[in-house]
Amino acid sequence: MKNFNMHIPTKVYFGEGAIKDLSIEIKKYGNRVLMVYGHGSIKRNGVYDDVMAVFELGDITYVELSGVDVNPRLETVNEGVRICLSEKIDFILAVGGGSVIDCSKTIAAAVYYAGDPWDLVSYKTKIQKAMPLGVVLTLSATGSELNGNAVISNTQTKEKRGFSSEWMWPKFSILDPTYTYTVSPHQTACGIVDTLTHLYEFYFSAKEDAELSDAMSEAVMATVIKYGKIAIAEPNNYEARSNLMWASAVALSGMTNRGKTFEGFNHAVEHGLSAIYDITHADGLAILAPYWMEYVLDEKNVTRFARFARKVWGIVDEDDMGVAKKGIERTRRYYEYLEMPSRLSHVKIDDARLDAVIDHAFLGDTLGHLKILRKQDVRRILEAAL
Amino acid sequence: MKNFNMHIPTKVYFGEGAIKDLSIEIKKYGNRVLMVYGHGSIKRNGVYDDVMAVFELGDITYVELSGVDVNPRLETVNEGVRICLSEKIDFILAVGGGSVIDCSKTIAAAVYYAGDPWDLVSYKTKIQKAMPLGVVLTLSATGSELNGNAVISNTQTKEKRGFSSEWMWPKFSILDPTYTYTVSPHQTACGIVDTLTHLYEFYFSAKEDAELSDAMSEAVMATVIKYGKIAIAEPNNYEARSNLMWASAVALSGMTNRGKTFEGFNHAVEHGLSAIYDITHADGLAILAPYWMEYVLDEKNVTRFARFARKVWGIVDEDDMGVAKKGIERTRRYYEYLEMPSRLSHVKIDDARLDAVIDHAFLGDTLGHLKILRKQDVRRILEAAL
């Protein structure tokens, strides 16, 4: 097992009605809130009204920043910073899914940096401080509610980058599964794919004897797969929505990957696809994973893929290579069941700008550890997925 | 899934050499340390010297409180409080296993309470504050390094009680698996039983649809069972020691039981046995579990026991009741393999004071939820275990 540090400072309030703890948590940090959200789904599903009721009861004043995009943009971050400074904001509240949370985190850090926030995103400048922020979650997907990570898009330079800082962990996250009842089947499916990919990125890595992390990762994957189907069939099923909500938070909190190495292929290449083609993150992830698995699988790492097939998909009675291939096939079939796109052409990507995608994906010469990939390998994977 | 809150404020430094972070962490809180330890095993295995080297390099002054017993006593807590006050201590450092940590936590809370510390243990008075404390762990067992719980014995009143406070979470815990290489096979076995029992206490509870917690709990149980055997056969096996160390910390951190109910039989009754007979905690736990499982198993909860048998022990191809019984039998055989006592008579307990044990175990009229137990039920379980 690799050495590791772990610190999960975020307080989690989980369950129906958990919004009741919002006011007392905010008031630890002040009274003037920047409320960040997306394109208004929270006004249709009642979450906005719930937050307003808490603000009114708690005498909390607020300024709104709405319209955060699926791939949150640097311009929105800049607008948020401007409001924080001009309105003397004490606290940032993200009400939404990963995009809204990531945008809020970046605003929180950028408030204390006089230069271009992209310097923070690109690690040119280290984050030294951030405003306190909290989360009311409305989508089970990115796990941003329980980590210090964010992903931001720079539309000018056509870049989409993930970054991380201990300063960007939310002070608290309110996770009410009923807030996800109105999430559409496709958005629910996107969240499932995102959560599973977070787990793949550490599970499919070179052997490090971090058995406990592997076993817990399998537990989360199997839970997500089981309840994903149920949540799509029965959107108001509390058991399904609550397990998905907790699983997506746990999946990238660090608890299931301590002692492991970040593999990184899926996120690096998908960020390239999103940056160049502005597709939905999970669409890209769903397309890539089965092709990536097929390409990477070989005699040296077959035990890992076979274990995945047996423990996560319950496939039995075969030799390792046979089981491994069936596991990949089951992953592909599950994504088809979720009605995710399975080819790049499904999201209008042809081979015209694949080189730009690949250039974006590579910050160094290679990607991954399970099988070390170079640019020509990634091109082969993408061509297979066209 | 039941509603829950979660907050894990402790920073974990995990891996060989993690002691290097000790000085910088302590200095956040001050320079004068109360160093708490047990009966000197840390002087034989080099941990004491490692801590001394850090203190010297970091110019940290310290006072020692040694001799903490396996069932830490109120008298030792009082002595620790006296030292903290007279020596103007800034920080408490527990160097040892669960007993040392629990004693340190109680000292930390009692420093700010003018009355009898037993008031805090017995919840007569709520803990409002505690001194900062940290941990250098030398035994994988109680999980006290990653929670706010402590268990203290009152030899005057013959009571042993567990209690909990958010104030008693360690500020940091240093988990170096090599520090457990010298732990004896029996002590290693005791840690395994303790860890498994922490998981049982939430896993075997009434159905609450907290699938993710159940699946993660199974992952931790299976990991502990696998590496327990290896660590006993090869005490210096890093893979085994590191997985056991991380598993025991995770097992009672809250991560594997969110949304579940505390069942409580094993700890309530074992604390009774330890309080009245002063036996080792894990000896009592190992004796109780199989008899408790056998007594509790019925047609209504058979699916839970069958799941345990299939997922944790890998037993296949049987009807639920058959599988369930085999799972219990495998648990018993595993404990025998660990050379744990399997009957109360093995630890010199006869039926003379069982009523006192039972009275100690019951704070209310019933115990447990999976099957609700009254005093006469517990007597039957204890009699079967004589």
Side-chain angles (χ1 to χ4, degrees):
Chain A
M1 199 187 296
K2 276 177 57 185
N3 285 12
F4 65 82
N5 299 341
M6 189 189 82
H7 187 210
I8 301 181
T10 304
K11 283 188 192 179
V12 174
Y13 294 92
F14 190 99
E16 185 168 9
I19 193 87
K20 71 176 166 35
D21 292 302
L22 177 61
S23 175
I24 197 167
E25 279 295 332
I26 289 177
K27 282 172 166 273
K28 291 177 184 170
Y29 308 96
N31 203 48
R32 288 186 63 73
V33 171
L34 173 66
M35 177 177 169
V36 184
Y37 60 99
H39 289 278
S41 64
I42 61 168
K43 292 197 173 170
R44 294 187 292 277
N45 64 14
V47 177
Y48 182 89
D49 290 342
D50 281 5
V51 173
M52 288 300 119
V54 169
F55 282 1
E56 196 174 326
L57 209 67
D59 252 337
I60 292 166
T61 58
Y62 65 97
V63 181
E64 296 189 11
L65 173 64
S66 64
V68 175
D69 289 322
V70 170
N71 288 318
R73 292 173 302 118
L74 202 58
E75 294 87 328
T76 319
V77 171
N78 283 323
E79 173 64 7
V81 171
R82 193 194 59 70
I83 297 174
C84 285
L85 295 175
S86 65
E87 299 283 342
K88 299 194 186 345
I89 295 295
D90 301 314
F91 188 85
I92 300 174
L93 182 68
V95 185
S99 305
V100 169
I101 304 169
D102 288 5
C103 186
S104 300
K105 286 175 173 176
T106 314
I107 294 168
V111 162
Y112 291 107
Y113 180 62
D116 183 349
W118 193 252
D119 295 346
L120 307 176
V121 178
S122 60
Y123 289 116
K124 191 179 142 192
T125 303
K126 190 169 190 270
I127 294 169
Q128 303 283 356
K129 197 176 174 185
M131 277 188 67
L133 77 142
V135 171
V136 176
L137 190 66
T138 62
L139 187 70
S140 307
T142 72
S144 189
E145 63 276 15
L146 200 55
N147 62 47
N149 310 339
V151 181
I152 293 294
S153 291
N154 187 333
T155 48
Q156 287 196 313
T157 61
K158 286 255 179 214
E159 285 177 276
K160 175 178 174 177
R161 297 285 173 207
F163 67 116
S164 190
S165 164
E166 61 182 317
W167 291 101
M168 296 198 301
W169 283 77
K171 297 296 181 188
F172 62 83
S173 285
I174 290 173
L175 274 53
D176 183 336
T178 68
Y179 284 3
T180 64
Y181 281 176
T182 54
V183 174
S184 71
H186 179 63
Q187 281 299 319
T188 301
C190 284
I192 293 162
V193 170
D194 200 18
T195 303
L196 288 173
T197 312
H198 294 151
L199 296 160
Y200 300 159
E201 292 283 39
F202 291 90
Y203 183 78
F204 289 106
S205 64
K207 178 175 164 63
E208 291 116 346
D209 309 324
E211 171 66 28
L212 183 63
S213 287
D214 286 338
M216 295 215 303
S217 186
E218 287 158 355
V220 185
M221 287 191 241
T223 303
V224 169
I225 288 164
K226 172 182 174 183
Y227 286 108
K229 282 191 166 190
I230 298 171
I232 286 172
E234 307 164 32
N236 289 16
N237 184 312
Y238 189 81
E239 180 177 338
R241 292 293 194 183
S242 59
N243 275 286
L244 284 183
M245 194 170 224
W246 188 221
S248 59
V250 167
L252 208 54
S253 68
M255 278 305 298
T256 58
N257 61 30
R258 293 303 83 184
K260 301 275 299 181
T261 302
F262 181 57
E263 189 66 10
F265 165 87
N266 291 277
H267 279 79
V269 178
E270 197 299 309
H271 287 175
L273 292 172
S274 282
I276 307 300
Y277 291 94
D278 200 23
I279 63 169
T280 302
H281 183 49
D283 284 347
L285 294 176
I287 294 164
L288 289 171
Y291 293 101
W292 163 70
M293 290 180 183
E294 279 169 348
Y295 189 86
V296 166
L297 171 66
D298 64 20
E299 288 295 341
K300 271 186 276 184
N301 57 39
V302 64
T303 52
R304 169 64 29 172
F305 283 96
R307 177 177 167 157
F308 170 67
R310 292 188 176 108
K311 296 276 187 178
V312 176
W313 294 109
I315 300 168
V316 288
D317 288 338
E318 294 263 352
D319 71 301
D320 273 5
M321 188 54 81
V323 169
K325 287 179 178 169
K326 284 196 180 177
I328 297 170
E329 191 50 32
R330 282 287 290 279
T331 305
R332 173 171 278 137
R333 290 219 316 271
Y334 185 71
Y335 286 1
E336 285 170 4
Y337 173 88
L338 295 179
E339 300 189 357
M340 297 299 292
S342 59
R343 293 202 159 271
L344 291 172
S345 56
H346 297 170
V347 290
K348 303 188 173 54
I349 294 179
D350 57 23
D351 64 0
R353 286 183 286 170
L354 288 189
D355 283 333
V357 170
I358 293 167
D359 285 342
H360 187 287
F362 279 78
L363 294 174
D365 289 338
T366 65
L367 270 183
H369 306 276
L370 190 62
K371 176 183 252 176
I372 291 170
L373 303 174
R374 298 180 182 276
K375 287 189 175 182
Q376 61 267 35
D377 298 302
V378 174
R379 174 162 266 287
R380 281 189 205 111
I381 295 170
L382 290 173
E383 284 173 354
L386 276 171
Chain B
M1 197 186 297
K2 276 177 58 185
N3 285 12
F4 66 83
N5 299 342
M6 188 189 82
H7 187 209
I8 301 181
T10 304
K11 282 189 192 179
V12 174
Y13 294 92
F14 190 99
E16 185 167 9
I19 193 88
K20 70 176 167 35
D21 292 302
L22 177 61
S23 175
I24 197 167
E25 280 294 334
I26 289 177
K27 282 171 166 273
K28 292 177 184 170
Y29 308 97
N31 203 47
R32 287 186 63 74
V33 171
L34 173 67
M35 177 177 170
V36 183
Y37 60 98
H39 289 279
S41 65
I42 62 167
K43 291 197 174 170
R44 295 187 292 278
N45 64 15
V47 177
Y48 182 90
D49 290 342
D50 281 4
V51 173
M52 287 300 118
V54 169
F55 282 0
E56 197 174 325
L57 209 67
D59 253 337
I60 292 167
T61 58
Y62 64 97
V63 181
E64 296 189 11
L65 172 65
S66 64
V68 175
D69 289 322
V70 170
N71 288 319
R73 292 174 300 119
L74 202 58
E75 294 88 326
T76 319
V77 171
N78 284 322
E79 173 65 7
V81 171
R82 193 194 60 70
I83 298 173
C84 284
L85 295 175
S86 65
E87 299 283 343
K88 300 194 183 348
I89 296 294
D90 301 314
F91 189 84
I92 300 174
L93 183 68
V95 185
S99 305
V100 169
I101 303 169
D102 289 5
C103 185
S104 300
K105 286 175 172 175
T106 315
I107 294 168
V111 162
Y112 291 107
Y113 180 62
D116 183 350
W118 193 252
D119 295 346
L120 307 176
V121 178
S122 59
Y123 288 116
K124 192 178 142 193
T125 303
K126 190 167 190 266
I127 294 169
Q128 302 283 356
K129 197 177 174 184
M131 278 187 66
L133 78 143
V135 171
V136 176
L137 190 66
T138 63
L139 187 70
S140 307
T142 71
S144 188
E145 62 276 15
L146 201 55
N147 62 46
N149 309 339
V151 181
I152 294 293
S153 290
N154 187 334
T155 48
Q156 286 195 314
T157 61
K158 286 255 179 214
E159 284 178 276
K160 176 179 175 177
R161 297 285 173 208
F163 67 116
S164 190
S165 163
E166 61 182 318
W167 291 101
M168 296 198 301
W169 283 76
K171 296 296 180 188
F172 62 84
S173 284
I174 290 174
L175 274 54
D176 182 338
T178 68
Y179 284 3
T180 64
Y181 280 176
T182 55
V183 174
S184 71
H186 179 64
Q187 281 299 320
T188 302
C190 284
I192 293 162
V193 170
D194 200 18
T195 303
L196 289 173
T197 311
H198 294 150
L199 296 160
Y200 300 160
E201 292 282 39
F202 291 91
Y203 183 78
F204 289 106
S205 63
K207 178 175 164 63
E208 292 116 346
D209 309 324
E211 170 66 26
L212 183 64
S213 287
D214 286 336
M216 295 215 301
S217 186
E218 287 158 356
V220 185
M221 286 191 242
T223 303
V224 169
I225 288 164
K226 172 182 174 183
Y227 286 108
K229 282 191 166 189
I230 299 171
I232 286 172
E234 307 165 32
N236 289 15
N237 184 312
Y238 189 81
E239 180 177 338
R241 291 294 194 183
S242 59
N243 276 286
L244 284 184
M245 194 170 224
W246 188 222
S248 58
V250 167
L252 207 55
S253 68
M255 278 305 299
T256 58
N257 60 29
R258 293 304 83 184
K260 301 275 300 181
T261 302
F262 181 58
E263 188 66 10
F265 166 87
N266 291 277
H267 279 80
V269 178
E270 197 299 309
H271 287 175
L273 292 172
S274 282
I276 308 299
Y277 291 95
D278 199 24
I279 64 168
T280 302
H281 182 50
D283 285 347
L285 294 176
I287 295 164
L288 288 172
Y291 292 102
W292 163 70
M293 291 180 182
E294 279 170 347
Y295 190 85
V296 166
L297 171 65
D298 65 20
E299 288 296 340
K300 272 187 276 185
N301 56 40
V302 64
T303 52
R304 169 64 28 171
F305 284 95
R307 177 177 168 158
F308 170 67
R310 292 189 176 108
K311 296 277 187 177
V312 176
W313 294 109
I315 301 168
V316 287
D317 289 338
E318 294 263 351
D319 71 302
D320 273 5
M321 189 53 83
V323 169
K325 286 180 178 169
K326 284 195 180 178
I328 298 171
E329 190 50 32
R330 282 288 290 280
T331 306
R332 173 170 278 136
R333 289 221 314 272
Y334 185 72
Y335 285 1
E336 285 170 4
Y337 173 89
L338 296 179
E339 300 189 358
M340 296 299 293
S342 58
R343 293 200 159 273
L344 291 172
S345 57
H346 296 170
V347 291
K348 302 189 173 54
I349 294 179
D350 56 24
D351 63 0
R353 286 184 286 171
L354 290 190
D355 283 334
V357 170
I358 294 167
D359 285 342
H360 187 287
F362 279 78
L363 293 174
D365 289 339
T366 64
L367 270 183
H369 307 274
L370 191 62
K371 176 181 249 173
I372 291 170
L373 303 174
R374 299 181 181 277
K375 286 189 175 182
Q376 62 267 35
D377 298 302
V378 175
R379 174 163 267 286
R380 281 190 205 112
I381 295 170
L382 291 172
E383 284 172 354
L386 275 171

